[in-house]
Amino acid sequence: MKNRPPVESQFARRVAMHVAIGMIGLNLLVPGGILLYAEWSGQHFSKLFWGEDNLVTWFSSVQLLLIAGVAYLVFEVSVSAKVGSKWCWALLSLGFVFLALDERFEIHENLRDRVFIPADLFTDIPKLQAGDAGLFLYFGVGLIVAVFLWRELRDWPWAARLFSAALILTAVVLVIDGMGWPEVRHWPMRRFWTSVFEETGELWAQLLFLLSFLIVLAGRAGALHTVRDGAGHPKE
């Protein structure tokens, strides 16, 4: 039996809208500001996007933590309203916390350099950098959770569309990130694709996930308001 369509409260929608607008602005400002700074300072833009200890990485880790927080709020609201799948959102929240830590502390890079390559694991996969298959293991686990999450998104078509777009963009970025130098050295504008596009695409994929989850949060918060309102005004 299909769940009743969620009722969105005006307050929840306003909060979600303000957060969405703010994060869209920041996702335009951060890479755009870096490109302007590169032009002003005379530095090559790729140097400001490459590496892990820079503004893009810091902003990415903060954004991932924000997504984790929104997913956790959806979990809490779902538990209180007794609707939907709770464990999916709890797993998502933990997953994005892990990704934020990975972004900041280079977990998969350390696994690649200290475990996979020395042990000769995943080092002979065609077209991929040696040991970089760990990124695709992350993505595979995410896809498994996404299959179950899809049932949660059916009531919000735009959330489902944004979530699907985020998955596609993530896959594209992972392919570029995982490709070895022999595969990309002949690309036109290779520094743009392997630095600006890769890092900015990662940020925008995160943004799409965030917008999708905000839509669900607004809907679930409205459903919770409806449940509490009904409990406070029993039928005569």
Side-chain angles (χ1 to χ4, degrees), residues 7 21 24 32 39 41 49 69 76 78 96 129 145 156-157 164 168 172 176 181-182 189 208 219 223 234:
V7 180
I21 291 172
I24 290 171
E39 181 67 24
S41 64
F49 283 88
E76 285 287 350
S78 298
F96 277 103
Q129 294 186 68
V145 177
W156 298 277
S164 300
I168 293 170
V172 172
I176 294 175
W181 175 246
M189 299 175 61
L208 292 171

Side-chain angles (χ1 to χ4, degrees), residues 168-223:
I168 293 170
L169 183 53
T170 299
V172 172
V173 169
L174 281 180
V175 169
I176 294 175
D177 190 20
M179 280 188 172
W181 175 246
E183 302 300 324
V184 301
R185 64 180 178 179
H186 299 302
W187 288 11
M189 299 175 61
R190 63 180 182 274
R191 288 187 176 180
F192 169 81
W193 293 110
T194 57
S195 60
V196 179
F197 179 82
E198 180 189 322
E199 297 298 331
T200 304
E202 188 177 320
L203 292 181
W204 288 349
Q206 295 168 11
L207 176 64
L208 292 171
F209 281 123
L210 177 61
L211 296 177
S212 176
F213 297 168
L214 283 172
I215 291 172
V216 178
L217 179 60
R220 285 282 162 85

